[in-house]
Amino acid sequence: MTTAPKLSFDVQLSDHARTAAEREQVLASPGFGQIFTDHMISVDYTEGVGWHDARLMPYGPLSLDPATSVFHYAQELFEGLKAYRQVNGSIVSFRPFANAGRFNRSALRMAMPELPEDVFVESLELLVQTDRDWVPTTEGHSLYLRPFMIATQAGLGVNYPSRNYKYMVIASPAASYFSGGVSPVSVWLSTEYTRAAPGGTGFAKCGGNYAAAFVAQRQAVAQGCDQVVWLDAIEHRYVEEMGGMNLFFVYGDRLLTPALTGTLLPGITRESVLTLATELGLKPEEGRLSIEEWQAGCESGELTEVFACGTAAVITPVGSVKGADRAWTVGDGTPGPVTLKLREELVGIQYGARPDTHDWIHKIC
Ligand SMILES: *Cc1c(COP(=O)(O)O)cnc(C)c1O
């Protein structure tokens, strides 16, 4: 086996970067995923050649043939992670090699090429170092990083995967999900639609999963709820996860989360919470929970807290649940102590207020 020569990134700086004043105006109220930094990463893949043309370049539109495969058959995948400005001033990311590994597991499922993990992490480092002034200084804010890969071969043949791909990274400053403290979300139990079936793409972070979810999310909003809770595709009874977050159920000092059966997205926040829980004296377990058990647990008082977790919103309490024929509240509808403790611990590690005993923090600059 020959090893491919190491990719080196060509750097082309923007000649129309935003001024400091323009940037500060964005950073004063960044919202989420609306405004992007001055640069982006692009790396191309050609079958038989491998990855090539790695570059950092000015942020801007792509020009693609209308027959490009991704537009028709959705052969694409993405990742999501953040760069944080720590209390000591350094800029770090959280477990980026875990995202690199998941990116490649998604790629295998989508018949797309794997990207070497060190190229994935180096691409993030280069973009964040170049656009470091875009990493917010406001507490709880961060720079959201969006690596993704698309199939770029032009042609409508549906029998074979694309022979060409493009990997990119874009970055967007993000406000804290919670402007007025940690507020619980209300959830809608989707029994009409399902997100993922056994053998499908539920564990892959591929665009099609989210395209298929919008109709249920719209239904949730029409029902007065913030988010969808997805149930298993076979019995429509067992809790899987939310649209972009995994779920945890707190029974006193016992912490239950749905097991990774292939239909759930294996969240890096989920995995980190499982680790932190043990250290905080909780007993985490991966298992199965039906909506009947969820409701009965809340009514008996045994199930004291429910929370969702993911990179974007960190840890979010679930306050109330609604389904086609049922509705209930979790605890008294306010954030519980286990939820808040885990959140404080995780955020503390990310922003450097707590020691990083797991080597989760990856210093960028
Ligand atoms: C990204 C995502 C999550 C959370 O994953 P993290 O790695 O914790 O950010 C959970 N569920 C779905 C469907 C997702 O897309």
Side-chain angles (χ1 to χ4, degrees):
M1 222 178 87
T2 56
T3 42
K6 193 168 159 28
L7 271 182
S8 70
F9 283 83
D10 189 56
V11 171
Q12 186 198 339
L13 294 180
S14 175
D15 58 11
H16 54 273
R18 260 74 48 97
T19 64
E22 286 167 335
R23 193 175 57 237
E24 289 315 318
Q25 199 180 350
V26 172
L27 292 178
S29 164
F32 183 82
Q34 299 295 321
I35 295 175
F36 297 88
T37 64
D38 293 315
H39 297 90
M40 63 184 189
I41 296 286
S42 170
V43 189
D44 293 319
Y45 180 90
T46 306
E47 197 175 275
V49 176
W51 292 101
H52 59 90
D53 280 292
R55 55 204 184 276
L56 173 111
M57 59 199 286
Y59 185 92
L62 303 178
S63 173
L64 291 168
D65 190 297
T68 300
S69 180
V70 64
F71 296 142
H72 303 275
Y73 307 127
Q75 202 191 358
E76 96 79 62
L77 56 88
F78 65 94
E79 269 301 324
L81 69 167
K82 288 172 169 176
Y84 308 88
R85 199 179 284 274
Q86 291 206 320
V87 286
N88 66 5
S90 55
I91 296 171
V92 306
S93 64
F94 184 73
R95 308 186 68 187
F97 282 95
N99 293 87
R102 187 171 66 190
F103 186 84
N104 284 337
R105 286 189 295 280
S106 297
L108 286 174
R109 178 62 183 83
M110 302 306 288
M112 296 169 86
E114 293 175 82
L115 181 72
E117 291 190 1
D118 57 342
V119 174
F120 179 94
V121 174
E122 190 185 343
S123 71
L124 306 176
E125 291 172 347
L126 181 59
L127 182 58
V128 172
Q129 283 161 3
T130 308
D131 286 337
R132 60 186 299 157
D133 292 341
W134 286 89
V135 182
T137 50
T138 308
E139 194 189 329
H141 293 199
S142 57
L143 185 67
Y144 184 79
L145 306 174
R146 170 54 62 88
F148 63 101
M149 182 180 9
I150 57 172
T152 50
Q153 188 178 335
L156 302 183
V158 76
N159 290 331
Y160 297 98
S162 175
R163 288 193 296 268
N164 310 324
Y165 297 90
K166 186 185 275 295
Y167 164 75
M168 301 193 76
V169 188
I170 54 176
S172 173
S176 163
Y177 248 59
F178 311 101
S179 33
V182 182
S183 51
V185 294
S186 54
V187 298
W188 167 251
L189 302 173
S190 181
T191 40
E192 184 176 355
Y193 303 107
T194 56
R195 175 181 178 276
T201 58
F203 68 89
K205 229 169 157 76
C206 61
N209 287 346
Y210 306 82
F214 289 130
V215 68
Q217 177 61 27
R218 201 159 62 180
Q219 198 174 51
V221 170
Q223 292 288 338
C225 297
D226 300 308
Q227 293 274 338
V228 178
V229 166
W230 295 105
L231 305 173
D232 76 284
I234 295 164
E235 293 183 62
H236 297 203
R237 273 182 72 200
Y238 295 100
V239 176
E240 299 222 307
E241 60 168 318
M242 303 216 312
M245 285 186 271
N246 296 110
L247 284 163
F248 277 87
F249 298 84
V250 183
Y251 291 84
D253 66 352
R254 215 179 102 224
L255 199 60
L256 175 68
T257 192
L260 300 178
T261 54
T263 52
L264 276 74
L265 200 289
I268 293 157
T269 318
R270 172 188 181 280
E271 195 185 274
S272 307
V273 165
L274 285 171
T275 301
L276 293 176
T278 310
E279 293 167 11
L280 295 176
L282 299 163
K283 297 186 193 76
E285 71 189 66
E286 302 178 69
R288 199 162 85 146
L289 184 89
S290 68
I291 51 177
E292 292 82 7
E293 288 167 321
W294 184 350
Q295 181 171 15
C298 287
E299 285 169 0
S300 73
E302 236 185 311
L303 174 47
T304 45
E305 301 172 40
V306 179
F307 64 85
C309 68
T311 297
V314 198
I315 289 180
T316 308
V318 173
S320 61
V321 189
K322 188 176 173 186
D325 54 3
R326 59 186 86 218
W328 69 92
T329 55
V330 178
D332 63 3
T334 65
V338 173
T339 302
L340 293 176
K341 180 76 201 143
L342 282 162
R343 184 185 150 72
E344 190 185 310
E345 199 63 33
L346 184 60
V347 171
I349 295 169
Q350 290 168 338
Y351 287 92
R354 306 251 165 172
D356 170 32
T357 56
H358 304 281
D359 222 3
W360 283 343
I361 294 304
H362 180 83
K363 186 163 190 265
I364 294 179
C365 53

